[in-house]
Amino acid sequence: MKKHLSILFLSVYLLSITQLVELIKLPVMVEHYVEHKERNPALTILEFLCIHYQGPDVYDADYAKDMKLPFKSHTNISSVVFYPLIQEYETIQKVNFTYKKQNLYTYSFTYSSISLSSIWQPPRDC
């Protein structure tokens, strides 16, 4: 159980902090490659990768699909994973506090006894 839980936490951490979240987009890349392969049966995987990752972005008919490929655009998934979506913001009003210094504590020695005060005397030479 601990092993599975630690793998889960490590996966969530790595997917939210690093760019490993882009690996989730691999099925989109395979689907897009199949679409290109249907249009051009002679297209290889290397040519597909060169078209989409080498050189500047081409603004063609499937530009929106191209930008959904892994490592084409940067997304911030950590805000989705860890932070809840806040719909309403409440305004916080500024409160002015005034600091008033008062001496509330005074020292008064109410017990005066010779036996109690002898405890705090330095040791004497006998």
Side-chain angles (χ1 to χ4, degrees):
M1 182 65 182
K2 288 182 182 181
K3 181 180 178 181
H4 296 295
L5 193 60
S6 63
I7 290 172
L8 174 73
F9 284 146
L10 181 65
S11 301
V12 168
Y13 174 74
L14 288 177
L15 288 175
S16 64
I17 301 301
T18 64
Q19 289 297 318
L20 288 178
V21 71
E22 296 292 323
L23 296 179
I24 295 174
K25 297 178 182 179
L26 283 176
V28 175
M29 187 168 106
V30 171
E31 180 183 329
H32 194 59
Y33 172 69
V34 170
E35 290 174 1
H36 277 272
K37 189 77 171 169
E38 287 174 354
R39 282 186 255 152
N40 183 6
L43 184 71
T44 64
I45 293 177
L46 186 59
E47 290 173 347
F48 172 77
L49 292 175
C50 287
I51 291 170
H52 289 90
Y53 290 101
Q54 187 179 19
D57 292 333
V58 179
Y59 296 97
D60 54 357
D62 66 345
Y63 177 75
K65 288 185 182 179
D66 291 345
M67 296 317 290
K68 292 180 183 177
L69 294 176
F71 302 105
K72 287 294 277 187
S73 63
H74 300 286
T75 57
N76 189 4
I77 193 78
S78 65
S79 63
V80 176
V81 173
F82 289 108
Y83 305 114
L85 186 62
I86 299 173
Q87 296 293 330
E88 296 179 9
Y89 294 101
E90 294 182 15
T91 58
I92 299 173
Q93 296 178 356
K94 184 178 177 182
V95 178
N96 293 325
F97 290 102
T98 56
Y99 179 71
K100 197 178 202 185
K101 186 175 179 181
Q102 293 178 344
N103 194 1
L104 298 176
Y105 303 106
T106 58
Y107 176 75
S108 65
F109 191 72
T110 56
Y111 299 106
S112 71
S113 170
I114 297 174
S115 60
L116 287 177
S117 64
S118 67
I119 296 174
W120 305 112
Q121 298 295 322
R124 295 185 185 161
D125 209 13
C126 292

